[in-house]
Amino acid sequence: MRGLYYERLKTWLLVFLVLLSLVLTYFLWTYKPDLMEQDSEAVEVNEIGEEKSIQDVIRPSKIVKHQFGESFMVLETDDLFDEIYQTLLNADLYETNAFPQTDVTTGIEFVFPDRIPMGMFMSLFSQDRQEDEFPLRGVDRVLLYEDEPDNGVKLQVYSSGDKAPFEIPTSFQASDLQRFLDDDTAVPAITVNEPNTDSYILNQENIYIPSGEIAYARQQYSTERVPADDITKTLFPDPQTVRNYRQSNGEFTYTDGTRILNLRDNENFMTYRNSSISDSTNSSTSSIPQTSFDYINNHHGWTNDYVLSRWRESNERESAVYRLFVNNLPVFNFKNSRDSMTIQVEKSGTQTTSYERPLLKLDPTPIDEQNIELQSGVSVLEKLEAAENLDLTNVQDVRVGYEMIDQDNQRGLVTFEPAWYVFTSNSNGWQKVPAEGGANELE
């Protein structure tokens, strides 16, 4: 009897264990841990800014209207500037023509700060077009005009390296083009370089500046700083292996042995170097502007408005520079340092080897604003011509930009002061044109 009792007990125990196993198996299969929220938080830590589109970082430095034998500039701070450019980007492009018209005298010229690689230029537009459909390697300038015989609007595209424009028919509306040309907010323009009589407007490569006095806003912003922890979690594969120390000059250094990050000027700026080169002989199929854009986008690194301003490539290394823009104007100086308010990315082969940038983030809107009238373009040109140390043939661009000034007695506040700047082929960067005298200080 006792044996029968034990047998029944073992049978019920076995049944219980089988049922328990089934229940546990069910929970194991159906269990969904709350990983999405954790992952989202982890990704959020590594995002130091926001993601951008190509259209956000590629924009012309100047828009010039040509009509009645004269040139007129649309100021960067005028709403018309963005409206014209955005209307162009919304247009479709059609088949190309290698022999564009030479007698075009009326149209709108767009000047870019550097040659835009053809692949990036095409990606600005809505439709999917192949890069090899177009004969140029890049685009410096474009001219939008109406071909009156068929009332179609066409685009002449130009590269300073090829010196031969080609033509692209577009879906741009002739009525929109005429409306932009009729708008009277543009200001008369003069050219810094000597007049060029080439039959193509784009081939003349004119450096345009407003001829008269112009007013731009002096703006003040409050700032915050990207935390050092967010930077290290973004740039180091395993933040647990990172060690940090403070140097004698006050800079903070973080390193994992192959990568090194220096934070300077009260952690407002960073320099990152990566020496873990896997294979520098393999070159990327994409241009450095595209790969650098992707690199910054991958960690949502756009902390404010930055625009592609310069890029270079060679067999040894490639580099791209994105400059901070405020109120649609470039920022050239900060604390007597040229190009400090830029994001710079360098590559060797397929590896990003250097990453330099400011860690300051401006609040979205200024806390103070006041219009400042600048000297006329005619006066600026006279100063450039009179400068003993400046050869006018070396001038590559002249434009209005901002100097960024921090407030010694008000931490976290910066002021952007508008001024004229000049860039020459033999200089280390943009130089401020003195407002009063001092032209010979220019290099």
Side-chain angles (χ1 to χ4, degrees):
M1 191 71 179
R2 188 184 297 270
L4 180 61
Y5 172 77
Y6 283 127
E7 288 298 325
R8 287 179 177 175
L9 181 61
K10 288 192 291 183
T11 299
W12 282 110
L13 182 60
L14 180 61
V15 170
F16 171 76
L17 291 174
V18 171
L19 291 175
L20 180 62
S21 175
L22 292 174
V23 171
L24 292 175
T25 301
Y26 170 79
F27 280 113
L28 180 63
W29 287 355
T30 59
Y31 176 62
K32 296 182 178 180
D34 192 13
L35 292 178
M36 292 300 292
E37 182 176 350
Q38 295 178 8
D39 287 346
S40 176
E41 292 175 356
V43 170
E44 187 67 27
V45 170
N46 293 338
E47 295 176 359
I48 66 175
E50 60 181 349
E51 190 175 4
K52 297 273 191 180
S53 68
I54 289 290
Q55 289 86 349
D56 294 324
V57 300
I58 302 291
R59 63 179 276 128
S61 57
K62 298 175 183 180
I63 294 181
V64 183
K65 300 195 297 184
H66 300 281
Q67 53 186 343
F68 315 124
E70 298 180 296
S71 299
F72 303 84
M73 290 188 67
V74 181
L75 297 183
E76 308 93 320
T77 52
D78 190 335
D79 291 340
L80 183 66
F81 191 100
D82 287 332
E83 184 182 358
I84 294 175
Y85 184 50
Q86 193 56 53
T87 306
L88 171 63
L89 297 187
N90 290 337
D92 291 331
L93 305 184
Y94 304 130
E95 296 302 319
T96 65
N97 174 18
F99 303 100
Q101 297 183 43
T102 61
D103 58 349
V104 177
T105 58
T106 299
I108 300 178
E109 182 178 0
F110 301 77
V111 182
F112 292 95
D114 201 352
R115 179 167 58 91
I116 308 302
M118 203 66 210
M120 290 189 82
F121 180 76
M122 294 311 304
S123 65
L124 291 172
F125 298 86
S126 56
Q127 80 274 29
D128 185 20
R129 300 292 299 273
Q130 297 301 313
E131 181 179 351
D132 56 9
E133 294 181 46
F134 303 95
L136 301 183
R137 291 169 294 176
V139 176
D140 296 285
R141 298 167 182 252
V142 298
L143 177 67
L144 192 68
Y145 67 98
E146 183 179 1
D147 186 4
E148 294 185 356
D150 59 10
N151 293 322
V153 176
K154 296 182 178 179
L155 194 68
Q156 283 188 11
V157 182
Y158 174 79
S159 167
S160 58
D162 295 280
K163 306 287 186 184
F166 71 89
E167 189 175 72
I168 309 175
T170 75
S171 65
F172 201 103
Q173 296 298 308
S175 57
D176 285 335
L177 177 60
Q178 192 58 52
R179 175 168 60 88
F180 294 144
L181 288 171
D182 290 341
D183 188 286
D184 60 0
T185 57
V187 299
I190 58 174
T191 60
V192 174
N193 51 333
E194 291 294 328
N196 186 321
T197 58
D198 194 286
S199 56
Y200 290 111
I201 289 178
L202 300 181
N203 279 15
Q204 297 172 16
E205 297 186 11
N206 283 323
I207 302 172
Y208 303 98
I209 59 174
S211 61
E213 295 180 346
I214 46 177
Y216 286 97
R218 173 197 288 143
Q219 296 186 323
Q220 188 177 69
Y221 287 82
S222 57
T223 68
E224 59 179 317
R225 189 172 58 222
V226 177
D229 283 348
D230 287 359
I231 295 296
T232 56
K233 290 175 182 177
T234 296
L235 298 178
F236 292 92
D238 184 4
Q240 300 300 321
T241 65
V242 177
R243 299 293 178 263
N244 69 84
Y245 56 91
R246 187 168 188 166
Q247 301 184 46
S248 58
N249 60 4
E251 293 184 3
F252 283 94
T253 296
Y254 298 77
T255 182
D256 63 359
T258 58
R259 301 165 183 83
I260 186 168
L261 171 69
N262 286 326
L263 302 182
R264 64 185 189 278
D265 191 18
N266 294 321
E267 301 180 56
N268 289 328
F269 298 88
M270 58 157 273
T271 300
Y272 169 76
R273 299 282 188 266
N274 182 5
S275 60
S276 60
I277 306 299
S278 56
D279 186 2
S280 62
T281 59
N282 292 331
S283 60
S284 171
T285 56
S286 299
S287 63
I288 180 62
Q290 182 65 58
T291 55
S292 61
F293 169 78
D294 293 337
Y295 175 78
I296 299 169
N297 243 5
N298 284 341
H299 56 268
H300 290 207
W302 307 104
T303 46
N304 285 109
D305 292 332
Y306 284 85
V307 174
L308 178 65
S309 64
R310 187 174 73 253
W311 64 278
R312 299 292 180 266
E313 60 182 2
S314 65
N315 293 332
E316 291 78 23
R317 69 183 180 94
E318 303 169 292
S319 64
V321 177
Y322 297 84
R323 185 176 300 280
L324 176 66
F325 268 60
V326 174
N327 191 30
N328 283 343
L329 291 177
V331 179
F332 291 127
N333 277 4
F334 180 47
K335 293 186 174 180
N336 297 318
S337 174
R338 300 176 187 173
D339 292 343
S340 56
M341 298 307 295
T342 58
I343 298 176
Q344 303 184 40
V345 179
E346 287 189 6
K347 280 181 51 186
S348 178
T350 59
Q351 184 75 49
T352 298
T353 57
S354 175
Y355 182 33
E356 299 184 32
R357 60 168 301 146
L359 297 177
L360 288 170
K361 299 170 64 174
L362 307 180
D363 281 356
T365 55
I367 59 177
D368 187 40
E369 188 170 4
Q370 178 184 1
N371 275 349
I372 303 296
E373 191 166 281
L374 302 183
Q375 59 186 315
S376 69
V378 171
S379 176
V380 169
L381 181 55
E382 290 174 351
K383 283 186 170 65
L384 298 180
E385 291 173 336
E388 295 179 359
N389 299 326
L390 181 69
D391 185 349
L392 210 58
T393 61
N394 291 329
V395 173
Q396 295 188 330
D397 201 3
V398 180
R399 65 169 305 173
V400 173
Y402 276 126
E403 179 177 15
M404 180 173 163
I405 304 169
D406 59 346
Q407 307 299 308
D408 294 333
N409 59 343
Q410 293 178 297
R411 191 174 182 85
L413 290 181
V414 292
T415 300
F416 293 91
E417 190 82 29
W420 281 98
Y421 286 84
V422 58
F423 185 84
T424 62
S425 58
N426 56 352
S427 68
N428 294 323
W430 290 84
Q431 302 176 73
K432 186 195 292 188
V433 179
E436 297 296 336
N440 288 326
E441 297 174 6
L442 292 170
E443 298 175 1

